[in-house]
Amino acid sequence: MKHTICYLSKDHQPMKNSELENLFNQVLEFNNSSNISGILLHNNNFFLQVLEGKKETIQELYATIRKDNRHKDILIVLDQKIESRIFKNYDARFSILKNKDDIEKINIYLSRYSSNNNYPTNIKRLLEPFLL
């Protein structure tokens, strides 16, 4: 069963660029090897992550994230079954959005994504505050 979890969280304490790069590399390696698609953004001490994959895999990963001391005030925004993954064909399956150009690229991608449900539209709305 395909599933998605999207969450917002705040840095427990501000992260240095080198710490963020290390985290991004770990996330890419783990998620790609675990057949997880999605995106991760970090801006103004906030994280937004969308995870897509097998329900059990996504739920186990999210449980691990909740225990990670780099996060606080975690808010789950979406936790639902999905018909299809919207990020499976985006870049390298799981993507780190590091700058405004990356965010604009994903917005364009999501605008062109056709679906019979609101999942792509909801994700696009969640990204809007990160455009500021």
Side-chain angles (χ1 to χ4, degrees):
M1 176 188 309
K2 295 178 199 101
H3 199 83
T4 188
I5 290 179
C6 174
Y7 72 88
L8 290 162
S9 69
K10 186 162 177 51
D11 287 355
H12 187 12
Q13 41 185 287
M15 297 178 75
K16 298 175 187 173
N17 285 342
S18 61
E19 293 172 316
L20 278 172
E21 283 301 320
N22 287 337
L23 174 63
F24 291 160
N25 290 333
Q26 291 170 0
V27 167
L28 283 173
E29 185 177 325
F30 178 83
N31 289 356
N32 285 332
S33 69
S34 299
N35 197 26
I36 296 170
S37 53
I39 57 171
L40 173 63
L41 293 92
H42 182 267
N43 191 12
N44 294 322
N45 300 325
F46 283 92
F47 288 101
L48 169 69
Q49 186 163 208
V50 178
L51 302 165
E52 301 173 325
K54 289 175 66 174
K55 184 175 184 176
E56 301 79 27
T57 306
I58 298 300
Q59 288 177 329
E60 287 173 18
L61 176 56
Y62 181 68
T64 301
I65 291 167
R66 290 203 49 91
K67 295 175 190 172
D68 188 324
N69 63 4
R70 292 174 286 202
H71 298 277
K72 70 177 185 179
D73 303 330
I74 296 178
L75 172 66
I76 196 159
V77 181
L78 291 173
D79 185 357
Q80 66 186 43
K81 176 184 172 187
I82 53 175
E83 296 298 318
S84 61
R85 298 182 190 201
I86 61 174
F87 294 105
K88 187 170 187 171
N89 296 318
Y90 183 77
D91 278 359
R93 189 181 327 185
F94 193 90
S95 297
I96 306 293
L97 307 182
K98 296 181 181 179
N99 57 48
K100 198 168 187 165
D101 289 341
D102 292 342
I103 295 172
E104 184 58 29
K105 185 177 171 186
I106 195 70
N107 269 313
I108 291 168
Y109 173 81
L110 290 172
S111 294
R112 294 179 182 159
Y113 195 92
S114 61
S115 176
N116 293 333
N117 61 48
N118 290 327
Y119 177 48
T121 304
N122 291 341
I123 296 298
K124 191 168 188 283
R125 285 186 187 136
L126 289 170
L127 293 176
E128 288 175 0
F130 284 84
L131 289 172
L132 301 175

